[in-house]
Amino acid sequence: MIKRLARNRNLSDGELKTLIETGDYDAEMFKAADSVRRSVYGADVYIRGLIEFTNYCKNDCYYCGIRHGNTNAKRYRLDLGQIFSCAEQGYELGFRTFVLQGGEDPYYTDDMICEIVSGIKRRHGDCAVTLSIGERSEKSFRAYWASGADRYLLRHETSDGAHYRMLHPDSMSLENRKACLWNLKKIGYQVGSGFMVDSPYQTTENIIADLRFLQELQPSMIGIGPYITHADTPFRNFPSGSAEKCIRLVAILRLMFPYALIPATTALGTIAPDGRERGLSAGANVVMPNLSPTSVRKYYLLYDNKICTGDEAAECRNCLDVRVRLAGYKVVIGRGDAKTYEHGDVAV
Ligand code: SAH
């Protein structure tokens, strides 16, 4: 079954269900995923400097710690100077991609986002800029693109309408989220999508539908991480997700999407101390450490017990180098764009 998955980049729903729900194929599957990853990306791991520039959010996603309704969250915004200095520091540490992530914060107008993007591109012409600022209009996406943004991360969260409504208030819609993803793709962005593993009410069928949606979208980047409980959300009583299932899904994704950029996420590293390393061994090829100033880092809490909130960027960078090396891979300094089949076919 694993050989067939590697060859066809696909399996039936029933077969995927078996892979997702049982650990029976894990060893074989992780090995196959690693070999596919090595045939496309070698041992290279791409790093992204994450700048969490605002934790204000107008949305109220039931799972998220920086939701509008969480009055316990201490809110902050970085100004343009602070953002540029994060990028500067990141550049010196070898980052060549900056990810600007935040809550959905209308304080940052389109003009400001464009100024941030073009400011970073002007200072660091050899870097890619990724935005992860939620749902915006096609017009806004076009403006950011024109100012130099290269990539956009917008997880679809769940591709099932009923499940989406269990995770979000009525003011939000799956239709709009999906429309944003298609718009971003049409404009020319390298698009990233993904979902949480073990989010409340999620079924295996939901996950299979997520994989099917990703097959349709064919994103350049796929981010998944375990759902982790945050005590100040309506989902405070739901348990956090499983590292094992998340890692298993990383391997399935690698086999289905050989060319995708797949991060070993901070959430995975939070739920298990060796989570990111195990993610790398199962096919992940990207790590996204935090570059935000230490003074605000502890406030960008989407979930409880987030790792690395006290470390300086330079410490994170060193720690990462060691971890990646010990896992059997190497951090490369470069933009780390997604490869395509033109770079060579996958050996299976
Ligand atoms: N506002 C932006 C960025 C969201 S934060 C946007 O709408 O895209 C990035 C991702 O963190 C989210 O897409 C979500 O999948 C994940 N996330 C949020 N809360 C989480 C939680 N409690 N546990 C794990 N992941 C979470």
Side-chain angles (χ1 to χ4, degrees):
M1 180 150 75
I2 300 300
K3 280 209 183 74
R4 202 148 36 78
L5 172 57
R7 205 177 323 116
N8 302 341
R9 299 174 198 177
N10 205 4
L11 285 178
S12 70
D13 286 3
E15 290 168 319
L16 286 172
K17 190 174 165 78
T18 306
L19 288 188
I20 296 166
E21 289 182 350
T22 73
D24 299 355
Y25 295 85
D26 281 3
E28 187 191 349
M29 184 159 71
F30 295 175
K31 210 164 147 241
D34 186 53
S35 105
V36 164
R37 149 306 177 241
R38 284 179 191 273
S39 87
V40 179
Y41 287 101
D44 292 356
V45 169
Y46 300 145
I47 54 172
R48 319 303 195 193
L50 188 62
I51 305 175
E52 298 156 335
F53 68 100
T54 172
N55 71 349
Y56 281 84
C57 192
K58 67 179 164 71
N59 290 335
D60 241 336
C61 309
Y62 301 144
Y63 45 84
C64 182
I66 63 167
R67 63 198 300 273
H68 178 77
N70 179 11
T71 49
N72 288 335
K74 187 169 171 324
R75 307 285 171 172
Y76 73 90
R77 292 185 173 111
L78 300 185
D79 62 29
L80 271 61
Q82 288 174 302
I83 295 171
F84 295 144
S85 101
C86 279
E88 180 66 47
Q89 202 189 353
Y91 191 88
E92 278 160 25
L93 293 171
F95 290 96
R96 295 296 178 267
T97 289
F98 299 108
V99 180
L100 291 157
Q101 189 177 84
E104 288 200 17
D105 183 2
Y107 168 88
Y108 295 89
T109 59
D110 284 351
D111 283 350
M112 283 168 79
I113 298 291
C114 289
E115 218 181 313
I116 295 168
V117 173
S118 60
I120 295 180
K121 296 290 282 198
R122 202 167 44 244
R123 288 169 173 79
H124 311 291
D126 54 342
C127 293
V129 172
T130 305
L131 292 173
S132 178
I133 56 174
E135 299 168 31
R136 301 257 175 152
S137 67
E138 183 178 345
K139 187 163 162 277
S140 301
F141 289 154
R142 285 193 185 279
Y144 312 150
W145 175 254
S147 72
D150 303 273
R151 310 186 186 127
Y152 206 105
L153 300 177
L154 188 77
R155 290 185 177 176
H156 65 278
E157 313 295 1
T158 173
S159 67
D160 181 272
H163 187 220
Y164 192 90
R165 282 189 295 280
M166 295 180 198
L167 302 180
H168 304 94
D170 288 344
S171 54
M172 298 178 71
S173 84
L174 179 59
E175 287 64 37
N176 192 51
R177 207 151 178 95
K178 285 188 174 172
C180 286
L181 285 164
W182 291 112
N183 283 337
L184 289 161
K185 228 186 147 170
K186 182 175 69 182
I187 295 167
Y189 284 92
Q190 292 177 40
V191 173
S193 198
F195 55 92
M196 287 176 287
V197 175
D198 289 328
S199 60
Y201 308 108
Q202 183 184 57
T203 62
T204 303
E205 284 64 34
N206 292 152
I207 298 179
I208 295 167
D210 288 326
L211 298 174
R212 299 299 178 212
F213 172 68
L214 293 169
Q215 284 181 316
E216 210 186 309
L217 183 69
Q218 289 295 324
S220 308
M221 304 165 282
I222 305 175
I224 61 166
Y227 160 75
I228 303 177
T229 315
H230 189 295
D232 295 321
T233 67
F235 285 164
R236 65 180 63 87
N237 293 324
F238 283 90
S240 295
S242 125
E244 281 64 38
K245 200 200 273 187
C246 183
I247 295 164
R248 205 174 283 155
L249 276 155
V250 165
I252 294 174
L253 287 170
R254 173 56 65 206
L255 292 167
M256 291 177 87
F257 303 93
Y259 299 99
L261 298 163
I262 302 177
T265 52
T266 305
L268 184 54
T270 297
I271 208 72
D274 56 351
R276 283 174 302 175
E277 289 85 337
R278 286 158 67 201
L280 290 174
S281 311
N285 62 335
V286 172
V287 196
M288 302 170 62
N290 205 317
L291 275 184
S292 317
T294 8
S295 55
V296 300
R297 233 182 250 197
K298 52 187 170 302
Y299 304 122
Y300 196 83
L301 292 182
L302 311 177
Y303 45 79
D304 290 333
N305 305 318
K306 188 180 169 195
I307 52 170
C308 309
T309 52
D311 305 348
E312 294 291 343
E315 286 175 62
C316 275
R317 181 68 181 77
N318 288 336
C319 165
L320 196 72
D321 234 36
V322 174
R323 282 172 180 266
V324 168
R325 199 153 7 97
L326 289 177
Y329 305 92
K330 67 167 197 298
V331 168
V332 297
I333 294 181
R335 281 176 47 121
D337 287 297
K339 295 198 176 181
T340 62
Y341 64 90
E342 286 138 28
H343 295 95
D345 205 358
V346 185
V348 292

